[in-house]
Amino acid sequence: MFGIDLPVLWFIIIAVLFAGYFLLEGFDFGVGILLPFIGRDEKRRSAMIRTIGPVWDGNEVWLITAGGALFAAFPLWYATMFSSFYLPLFIILIALIVRIVGLEWRGKNDSPKWHRWCDRGIIFGSWVPPLMWGIAVANLVRGIPVDVGERISTSQVTLWSLLNPYALLAGAALTALFVLHGATFLRLKTAGVLRDDVARALTPATIATVLFGTTFVLWTQLQYGTSWTWALVALVLLGVIVGAWCAYLGRDGWAFTFTAVAVLSVTALVFGSMFPWVVPSTLDGGTGITIWDATSSEYTLTILTWAALAITPVVILYQGWTYWVFRKRILADPVTQGSGY
């Protein structure tokens, strides 16, 4: 199609979809993780949840779209990943469901006990996915015991093999980054005492992100990266440090922008380190799976490309309009019953 290598194009598109998901759901997760530390009373907790209330479900659409695109464009990648990482991905799914229930049901009853249980669901569903996504993504970069020549056997993949030091570090780094991203989002979206309270989370979030994040990106770069991905490493570190500094200075818009750059750069580093492999092999003499091994037919990719060209601008415009409508800052005021949040 127009002389473009469609498998490469769709590898980039899937990377963009996951980048969008981590960018937008990242601050959702961060807000949920910070809920017990900043939400000292019902007014604060309600206000924190209201910052993500109108947008969290739209943010999850990026994950659904990424999964659908992965299935359609690279069915072998999809099948191998889901069979190898079945348990981590299943845990992510359960955690997301629990979080959704907490978010949707919280405003259906004014009972403090009801709110506490919903808050626990939100907190649980915000902690678990970043950890599991970090583990899954790191093992995609590192590789698994797979051999195309042996009909792609993944029988040696176990949960314990996935919980290697590199993957655990990735889970910690991604979680810390999302907490910092969530803190800058809360500073951007709140006013008054709640915005001031968020400042207490900036120092520990920044320290954790620098500690785990720097170790992870340098490990990734030195062992799996290429010469051009050094620029992404620099962008990650720049985004974290400058974003935190801008937050301390009260430049909320710039702070959120730079932590967003860090999230996008981490995602780009991961996919850039994988290319052209989608499932590297850790077996001696094993043959991993490249994007050309895993791809659908050219006809399928052509249809997908035209569909993406037609639909993607509409989705982006609609989501951008949603953020514009709900752009005002939120105060720590109580939420009335039946509001949904």
Side-chain angles (χ1 to χ4, degrees), residues 12 25 61 104 158 179 241 248 250 259-260 302 314 328-329 338:
I12 295 172
E25 273 285 85
V61 171
E104 290 291 347
T158 64
V179 171
I241 295 171
Y248 282 115
T259 57
T302 301
V314 177
K328 291 185 178 179
R329 291 179 183 263

Side-chain angles (χ1 to χ4, degrees), residues 180 214 253 324:
L180 180 61
T214 301
W324 175 256

Side-chain angles (χ1 to χ4, degrees), residues 116-132:
R116 284 196 299 272
W117 277 106
C118 289
D119 291 346
R120 289 166 186 163
I122 295 168
I123 295 165
F124 171 80
S126 299
W127 268 104
V128 173
L131 289 169
M132 292 294 104

Side-chain angles (χ1 to χ4, degrees), residues 52-74:
I52 62 173
V55 298
W56 69 264
D57 48 354
N59 295 343
E60 288 193 344
V61 171
W62 287 81
L63 176 60
I64 298 170
T65 306
L70 190 63
F71 173 77
F74 299 102

Side-chain angles (χ1 to χ4, degrees), residues 93-137:
L93 177 62
I94 294 299
L96 291 177
I97 292 172
V98 171
R99 187 177 72 115
I100 290 169
V101 171
L103 287 167
E104 290 291 347
W105 288 12
R106 192 180 193 278
K108 305 303 182 184
N109 192 307
D110 287 335
S111 165
K113 184 177 181 180
W114 179 273
H115 285 182
R116 284 196 299 272
W117 277 106
C118 289
D119 291 346
R120 289 166 186 163
I122 295 168
I123 295 165
F124 171 80
S126 299
W127 268 104
V128 173
L131 289 169
M132 292 294 104
W133 275 121
I135 290 170
V137 165

Side-chain angles (χ1 to χ4, degrees), residues 68-233:
L70 190 63
F71 173 77
F74 299 102
L76 185 58
W77 184 8
Y78 180 93
T80 305
M81 185 175 73
F82 273 79
S83 63
S84 304
F85 305 145
Y86 179 83
L87 188 55
L89 295 177
F90 180 73
I91 293 173
I92 290 173
L93 177 62
I94 294 299
L96 291 177
I97 292 172
V98 171
R99 187 177 72 115
I100 290 169
V101 171
L103 287 167
E104 290 291 347
W105 288 12
R106 192 180 193 278
K108 305 303 182 184
N109 192 307
D110 287 335
S111 165
K113 184 177 181 180
W114 179 273
H115 285 182
R116 284 196 299 272
W117 277 106
C118 289
D119 291 346
R120 289 166 186 163
I122 295 168
I123 295 165
F124 171 80
S126 299
W127 268 104
V128 173
L131 289 169
M132 292 294 104
W133 275 121
I135 290 170
V137 165
N139 279 287
L140 277 178
V141 175
R142 177 176 178 266
I144 58 175
V146 63
D147 192 342
V148 175
E150 296 294 332
R151 291 190 163 181
I152 318 177
S153 173
T154 58
S155 58
Q156 298 183 47
V157 180
T158 64
L159 177 60
W160 298 116
S161 69
L162 296 177
L163 298 178
N164 53 77
Y166 177 64
L168 293 174
L169 175 63
L174 198 62
T175 303
L177 178 57
F178 284 172
V179 171
L180 180 61
H181 192 40
T184 60
F185 177 77
L186 282 172
R187 293 273 294 180
L188 180 65
K189 284 292 295 178
T190 59
V193 65
L194 180 56
R195 179 177 175 274
D196 295 335
D197 287 347
V198 177
R200 293 187 294 111
L202 288 173
T203 298
T206 302
I207 293 173
T209 305
V210 170
L211 177 63
F212 295 120
T214 301
T215 307
F216 171 69
V217 297
L218 288 177
W219 189 339
T220 302
Q221 174 61 35
L222 292 173
Q223 188 158 353
Y224 308 105
T226 61
S227 58
W228 71 270
T229 53
W230 275 109
L232 298 173
V233 173

